[in-house]
Amino acid sequence: MALTMSQTMTLLSEHDLLIEKKAAQEPPRKFAHVTYDSRQATAQTLFFCKGNFEPAYLNQAKEKGATAYVSEKEYAQGQGLTAIIVSDVQKAMSLLGAAFYGFPQNQLFITGITGTKGKTTTAYFAHGVQDAHTDGHAALFSTIDRITGPKPEQRFKSDLTTPESLDLFHDMAEAVKNGMTHLIMEVSSQAFKKNRVYGLKYDLGIFLNISPDHIGRNEHPTFEDYLYCKEQLLRNSKNVIINAESQHFDEIYGAAKGSLMDDHIYLYARENSLISFQTQVDFEFKETRQDLTESTVEISSYSDKGRKLAVDGEYEVDIPGDYNQENAIAAIVAAAMTGVSATEIRQHLPEVRVPGRMEVFQTKDHGTVYIDYAHNYASLKSLLSFLRQQIPDERLIVLTGSTGDKGISRRSGLGQAISEEADVAILTSDDPATEDPLQIAQEIDQHIDHDQVEVQIVLDRKTAVKQAIMLSKPGEIVVLAGKGRDATQKLNGKNVPYETDVKIAEDLIKER
């Protein structure tokens, strides 16, 4: 892995990013390392000054062996280094990162998935089927895990839904080196807003849904900006699959048609939905069986290109929830588009498990416990609504919190979902970061109807999890929402070890 100065100048010039190059007395001819973290700089490093950058970082990189830096302005601390001044350092970093790692995306069939909810579940569905089809040669970049190969050490916890571009292309290169031929990856709106995936073209893009989220001081200023960033996946994919029942479908479909011919756009919707009467969809599906642990769906094709994929028929989905049926349909169509037969899909789809997603635990003397990552209005509403339909006459107890320093708009949404579907709410800490967890809980509480819902605030999450379970009676349901199998909590700017909701619940149930 290497990058020459000539390649660097050519790529930046071709994309109209290069402003000027100020060469040192002995300008480097090539780079043996690229990084945006000054602590990782070594000899012959090309260093990127991006994000919350402080000039001292550049000085540290120089001391460790950096020979050039890429920045949107020149720094005195870079004296003696070649300065490559660009109009957008994030775009430059993505382009040069791909080149440094040998354009690994060209050796992978990449499926990108976006949506306000369902990205992780859909990614696991698609990965599970495609990995089985390729005999273990499918990589996965998700909110939960990054899988770059078949060995245990090639599976690790994700830091971001979509990592920084240098990390992304590094992991793609690792996947290629490990023999991977396919990659399924979640693509966040922030990945497009911050140009982490600039220049990346997806073989297949999946657009699941859109609803207000990630709107706040550190994220998207408006919903329109959020939607625009989500739509970039459609503009950067060779083929797309769209859930036609998504809100703002007209804008989403318009973004796809602005870049692709109809033959490359696949639409799906639930049978007899309003959109299926207004728009010609390629696939309709219906639920044929549903309970608290699994469901069965049936797909029917309604276009020539849909029929060519030969996916008509029934499929078992072993993760409950009607909203997960929509995720499964997207994964089924995606798998067929990568060459997986319907027979293989039917065999492998029921085998898929998503860590921390709709995990079910039965208790002897208390209610049934569901653990899920639901963390905004759309996901929590869907989860609680589904469970409410299963137990209309029993109590529904929900434990949740909200993250600090981001997703501020989620707090009102969580309160609204609780008011609409729950009987008891226990508000606790999630990842408060630098914010006061009590204030976050109180903000959620302001949006809960206390005439409908009994509310308790228990800030210690472990105590709150135990209390929620012990409060329940047989026949009732307890939902532990927000963290799933996340083994850390962000407290006061630090990642603090956390047992996970799953382990706390399992230990309590064993004790009882």
Side-chain angles (χ1 to χ4, degrees):
M1 290 175 283
L3 179 68
T4 68
M5 181 63 81
S6 176
Q7 285 176 301
T8 300
M9 294 298 102
T10 299
L11 273 170
L12 295 177
S13 297
E14 286 178 345
H15 288 262
D16 295 321
L17 292 171
L18 182 64
I19 294 177
E20 65 176 322
K21 170 190 165 186
K22 293 191 174 182
Q25 274 191 327
E26 295 184 19
R29 293 185 178 182
K30 68 178 182 179
F31 305 104
H33 186 54
V34 292
T35 187
Y36 57 86
D37 186 341
S38 58
R39 295 166 297 182
Q40 296 179 5
T42 60
Q44 293 184 294
T45 288
L46 176 62
F47 181 70
F48 293 88
C49 307
K50 70 96 190 169
N52 297 319
F53 178 75
E54 295 182 13
Y57 299 155
L58 180 56
N59 196 50
Q60 183 181 21
K62 181 171 66 173
E63 291 173 354
K64 287 178 170 288
T67 53
Y69 67 94
V70 180
S71 175
E72 292 173 11
K73 67 177 185 178
E74 190 175 1
Y75 289 97
Q77 289 80 359
Q79 188 173 2
L81 304 181
T82 292
I84 302 169
I85 311 304
V86 297
S87 57
D88 190 314
V89 69
Q90 289 277 172
K91 289 181 178 180
M93 189 166 72
S94 186
L95 289 171
L96 298 178
F100 178 83
Y101 289 108
F103 301 103
Q105 67 268 35
N106 296 338
Q107 300 177 66
L108 296 164
F109 186 100
I110 302 179
T111 301
I113 304 168
T114 200
T116 301
K117 62 175 181 172
K119 293 189 297 296
T120 300
T121 302
T122 306
Y124 269 82
F125 281 150
H127 175 262
V129 173
Q130 293 183 37
D131 195 52
H133 173 71
T134 60
D135 295 323
H137 291 86
L140 173 68
F141 297 173
S142 79
T143 301
I144 302 173
D145 290 322
R146 239 176 286 172
I147 301 173
T148 60
K151 298 178 181 178
E153 63 268 25
Q154 293 161 349
R155 179 176 191 145
F156 48 95
K157 186 181 183 299
S158 292
D159 297 320
L160 294 169
T161 298
T162 312
E164 285 288 358
S165 56
L166 292 189
D167 303 321
L168 178 67
F169 289 111
H170 168 274
D171 289 351
M172 283 188 189
E174 286 294 304
V176 170
K177 185 177 74 174
N178 295 333
M180 301 293 102
T181 57
H182 292 64
L183 167 63
I184 295 90
M185 63 178 287
E186 296 181 46
V187 189
S188 66
S189 57
Q190 287 291 301
F192 283 109
K193 185 167 183 63
K194 296 186 176 181
N195 290 307
R196 294 177 191 152
V197 292
Y198 180 76
L200 182 59
K201 194 81 170 177
Y202 302 87
D203 295 284
L204 176 60
I206 299 175
F207 197 109
L208 297 171
N209 48 65
I210 188 80
S211 58
D213 195 23
H214 294 287
I215 299 166
R217 56 181 177 266
N218 297 324
E219 298 179 283
H220 297 278
T222 63
F223 174 76
E224 288 73 24
D225 183 72
Y226 177 55
L227 174 58
Y228 173 81
C229 290
K230 287 284 190 190
E231 289 172 345
Q232 298 316 299
L233 178 67
L234 304 173
R235 297 186 172 100
N236 289 280
S237 296
K238 299 174 186 176
N239 297 278
V240 298
I241 301 168
I242 300 173
N243 177 2
E245 292 184 82
S246 174
Q247 296 179 48
H248 302 276
F249 171 70
D250 289 342
E251 294 107 305
I252 295 164
Y253 191 33
K257 294 186 74 172
S259 303
L260 297 168
M261 302 292 288
D262 285 343
D263 285 351
H264 298 276
I265 302 172
Y266 293 78
L267 306 179
Y268 70 93
R270 196 173 291 270
E271 185 180 77
N272 295 325
S273 62
L274 179 61
I275 192 70
S276 65
F277 292 106
Q278 298 172 339
T279 303
Q280 175 61 62
V281 299
D282 302 285
F283 307 96
E284 288 187 2
F285 71 97
K286 65 179 179 180
E287 173 190 300
T288 56
R289 183 174 61 85
Q290 171 82 277
D291 60 32
L292 283 167
T293 59
E294 61 186 17
S295 64
T296 303
V297 293
E298 182 178 353
I299 303 177
S300 300
S301 302
Y302 286 94
S303 69
D304 290 339
K305 67 177 184 285
R307 282 186 281 269
K308 286 178 182 177
L309 294 179
V311 293
D312 288 36
E314 282 195 336
Y315 297 83
E316 182 182 327
V317 183
D318 275 18
I319 298 178
D322 46 10
Y323 51 96
N324 281 322
Q325 295 169 4
E326 300 173 5
N327 302 330
I329 301 303
I332 290 167
V333 176
M337 291 176 69
T338 61
V340 188
S341 69
T343 300
E344 288 180 278
I345 298 171
R346 288 190 182 93
Q347 176 185 350
H348 299 299
L349 185 63
E351 299 168 355
V352 176
R353 298 291 180 272
V354 185
R357 296 283 184 189
M358 285 298 277
E359 294 198 51
V360 187
F361 299 88
Q362 301 291 344
T363 69
K364 182 179 179 182
D365 301 317
H366 298 280
T368 301
V369 180
Y370 284 80
I371 300 179
D372 194 86
Y373 281 105
H375 61 277
N376 56 30
Y377 173 77
S379 56
L380 188 62
K381 169 69 175 180
S382 296
L383 170 59
L384 298 182
S385 176
F386 163 70
L387 295 174
R388 170 58 72 203
Q389 292 171 30
Q390 313 303 313
I391 56 155
D393 301 319
E394 300 288 350
R395 283 197 312 173
L396 182 54
I397 301 166
V398 59
L399 173 147
T400 192
S402 191
T403 55
D405 300 333
K406 66 176 185 177
I408 309 300
S409 62
R410 293 175 183 167
R411 299 169 193 179
S412 60
L414 292 173
Q416 181 182 345
I418 289 168
S419 294
E420 291 170 352
E421 303 293 347
D423 298 295
V424 179
I426 297 180
L427 304 181
T428 187
S429 60
D430 189 317
D431 287 316
T434 64
E435 290 193 62
D436 179 357
L438 176 59
Q439 183 177 341
I440 294 173
Q442 290 171 337
E443 287 182 32
I444 298 171
D445 189 37
Q446 288 173 8
H447 299 276
I448 298 176
D449 182 350
H450 285 239
D451 291 333
Q452 301 293 324
V453 183
E454 175 192 335
V455 180
Q456 302 177 25
I457 295 179
V458 182
L459 294 181
D460 180 76
R461 191 171 181 105
K462 182 174 181 178
T463 302
V465 167
K466 290 182 176 182
Q467 189 164 316
I469 296 171
M470 296 300 293
L471 185 64
S472 66
K473 299 175 182 177
E476 298 178 343
I477 285 179
V478 178
V479 175
L480 308 178
K483 289 194 69 66
R485 288 183 176 269
D486 189 354
T488 61
Q489 273 195 302
K490 292 181 174 64
L491 300 172
N492 299 316
K494 297 179 181 179
N495 285 334
V496 178
Y498 174 66
E499 289 181 77
T500 78
D501 289 356
V502 171
K503 187 176 188 306
I504 295 168
E506 284 181 325
D507 288 350
L508 180 64
I509 291 168
K510 287 177 184 177
E511 289 173 9
R512 304 295 297 180

